[in-house]
Amino acid sequence: MSWITSRHAIEATLQREAPGAVLYLTDLRGRNGDLQRLARSRGVGVKTVSGEWLRKRAGSSARGAALELGESPSRSSVVSLKDWLRRTPPGSTGPILALDHVTDPHNVGAILRTAYLMGVPLVIVPARRSVLDSDGVRRSSAGASDEVPVAVVPNLASALRECKRAGWWVYAADAGGTPLPEVPFDSAAVLLLGAEGKGVSPGAAALSDLTVSIPDRAPGGTTVDSFNVSVAAGILTYEYFRTVQPE
């Protein structure tokens, strides 16, 4: 069994199918009362418990409400990359985001939240060590993880090759690349982001058409040498939409 403890994520899950789920509340006041009514309208059981009981079972992040999942809820947002590329003309929708070994749930959730708010049409993530169904992703995305189309692929390098064959250009975010203000984005852009510290893996980087760096104003000698990957995703996506109008 897994737990969801963010009220935003609980609400988003209850709006969809949640077979076998049970909602636990420490009281029925305010937003908890709203969750109780929503759960009952969706046929989900509701139980009132103590805060200590809830934290012991759902974790310390549970503050008054937690949803225990039964069967894994269907993720209507997961799509086939092959099918998506076949029906989507290159450059017609905005940039694709591709995540290379980004496995921190809070970063993945924040990226999905940014993708949703910026109108990103697709996010590509490798299946290996995927954290899509974790509570951390749901909490950080504020429910956006169930809204943004996501292609879960067995091999990221193969997925990038598939995108390139379909007419998309790959821009890898990494130090030492072309400064972002000077990048001539093609409308059919895949923005490739790597994990903090490791960056984009050599195999994925070799498939990029251009390496892009985000200028900073940090003083010399600082130990902080890169942007958080979710922040970088927001900056790159904003700059794309600022300079490019999808066809």
Side-chain angles (χ1 to χ4, degrees):
M1 298 290 183
S2 59
W3 294 83
I4 301 175
T5 56
S6 160
R7 283 184 172 83
H8 284 295
I10 290 172
E11 184 176 355
T13 302
L14 290 174
Q15 294 286 1
R16 302 178 295 112
E17 293 184 9
V22 179
L23 176 64
Y24 293 89
L25 302 170
T26 56
D27 60 64
L28 301 178
R29 300 190 302 269
R31 293 181 64 190
N32 278 5
D34 295 337
L35 288 176
Q36 179 202 36
R37 288 185 286 275
L38 176 59
R40 287 183 171 170
S41 73
R42 307 296 289 180
V44 172
V46 180
K47 295 184 179 181
T48 305
V49 297
S50 69
E52 181 181 1
W53 186 97
L54 192 61
R55 288 189 295 273
K56 185 178 294 185
R57 285 159 179 79
S60 59
S61 61
R63 291 182 172 83
L67 184 69
E68 183 183 30
L69 300 177
E71 303 172 27
S72 296
S74 58
R75 293 184 60 88
S76 58
S77 60
V78 173
V79 300
S80 159
L81 177 62
K82 182 177 181 179
D83 291 345
W84 191 92
L85 290 172
R86 185 174 62 245
R87 67 173 183 265
T88 307
S92 65
T93 58
I96 296 171
L97 291 182
L99 309 186
D100 183 13
H101 296 104
V102 181
T103 56
D104 180 271
H106 300 290
N107 282 335
V108 174
I111 290 170
L112 291 173
R113 185 173 184 171
T114 294
Y116 176 72
L117 291 172
M118 294 296 293
V120 169
L122 181 69
V123 177
I124 300 173
V125 299
R128 185 170 181 268
R129 297 178 64 192
S130 172
V131 294
L132 276 181
D133 289 320
S134 70
D135 184 44
V137 168
R138 290 189 175 94
R139 289 178 63 85
S140 297
S141 73
S145 61
D146 294 314
E147 303 295 335
V148 178
V150 177
V152 182
V153 298
N155 184 280
L156 182 61
S158 296
L160 294 175
R161 291 190 190 96
E162 196 169 347
C163 290
K164 289 167 71 74
R165 285 194 296 269
W168 295 77
W169 296 74
V170 178
Y171 299 82
D174 213 348
T178 302
L180 183 58
E182 301 173 17
V183 173
F185 280 117
D186 189 272
S187 58
V190 177
L191 307 180
L192 174 62
L193 297 125
E196 292 178 57
K198 295 181 180 179
V200 175
S201 62
L207 295 168
S208 67
D209 297 290
L210 186 68
T211 301
V212 181
S213 65
I214 302 174
D216 65 70
R217 296 179 178 273
T222 179
T223 57
V224 181
D225 59 359
S226 65
F227 288 92
N228 172 278
V229 65
S230 64
V231 173
I235 293 172
L236 289 170
T237 304
Y238 179 86
E239 184 67 8
Y240 169 92
F241 280 114
R242 190 186 71 81
T243 59
V244 176
Q245 289 295 327
E247 299 170 3

